[in-house]
Amino acid sequence: VLKSVVIEPIEQECLDRVFNYLISRDNSKPEEHKNKIGPGDILKVLLYLGLKPLKSEVALIIWEVDDDLDGYVSREEFQIMYKRCKSDETEAGLEPRKLFNLVQFLMFDKTFKGTVTVEDSLQILFVRHGRLNLDTEITAIFGESDKNPDGTEKAITFGEYVDKVNKRALAKQNEIMLKRKKKDVLCK
């Protein structure tokens, strides 16, 4: 199934940029893991983005995609994670998404400044969701307006981004559960 998942050239360019950024954060990694994403890399990026994760939270982010269980994320595991999440068409989005959400945000944040705007996200959202769904995706991430009350462009942090992604996932999950309950009532 994953072989059929197409990663567009602009997505791959962004993925390569993000992977290279992530592997370069922790200079204290053992030599054999220099080209992999480690806990120190994730921790430093999350701290830079304004979060204060526990070591166990960082370990979980890695564990979710660490297929060879070496405590690090290789380029291959990184690519597989992206393809799994991109192709996850289950109603509830069952693929683990902790690293995916970080990667997606960093794909939008081309200069790694720690915030993203609608303008920053347009190219990737268009490639991933097409013109038909672009406005829905923008609204889900940024809300109804892409401007602040003073007219400046709205920028969101990683924490705000994850909050919106999680709220959207919970709303979708609640919708699924409500449909199931209605179906169960009709069947009785």
Side-chain angles (χ1 to χ4, degrees), residues 5-15 82 86 107 124 127-128:
V5 177
V6 176
I7 296 179
E8 299 297 333
I10 189 63
E11 284 179 290
Q12 189 59 58
E13 181 183 313
C14 290
L15 284 169
Y82 186 78
K86 181 179 176 178
M107 288 173 75
I124 294 297
V127 168
R128 290 266 329 272

Side-chain angles (χ1 to χ4, degrees), residues 35-122:
N35 292 320
K36 294 181 178 184
I37 301 167
D41 297 308
I42 299 288
L43 178 64
K44 287 182 180 191
V45 170
L46 291 176
L47 288 170
Y48 173 73
L49 293 173
L51 301 179
K52 294 180 177 126
L54 300 171
K55 285 183 180 179
S56 60
E57 293 171 318
V58 172
L60 180 60
I61 291 170
I62 300 246
W63 177 82
E64 285 182 341
V65 298
D66 182 17
D67 293 335
D68 65 7
L69 300 176
D70 67 351
Y72 293 83
V73 178
S74 67
R75 185 175 293 274
E76 180 182 5
E77 290 166 334
F78 183 80
Q79 290 286 134
I80 290 170
M81 170 276 304
Y82 186 78
K83 285 183 171 186
R84 282 179 178 159
C85 289
K86 181 179 176 178
S87 66
D88 183 3
E89 294 181 6
T90 59
E91 284 187 74
L94 298 176
E95 281 297 328
R97 294 187 179 273
K98 292 181 186 314
L99 183 58
F100 178 78
N101 289 337
L102 176 61
V103 169
Q104 191 71 50
F105 183 84
L106 293 173
M107 288 173 75
F108 298 150
D109 185 7
K110 294 174 182 71
T111 59
F112 306 115
K113 62 187 176 296
T115 60
V116 295
T117 64
V118 171
E119 184 69 29
D120 294 332
S121 67
L122 282 176

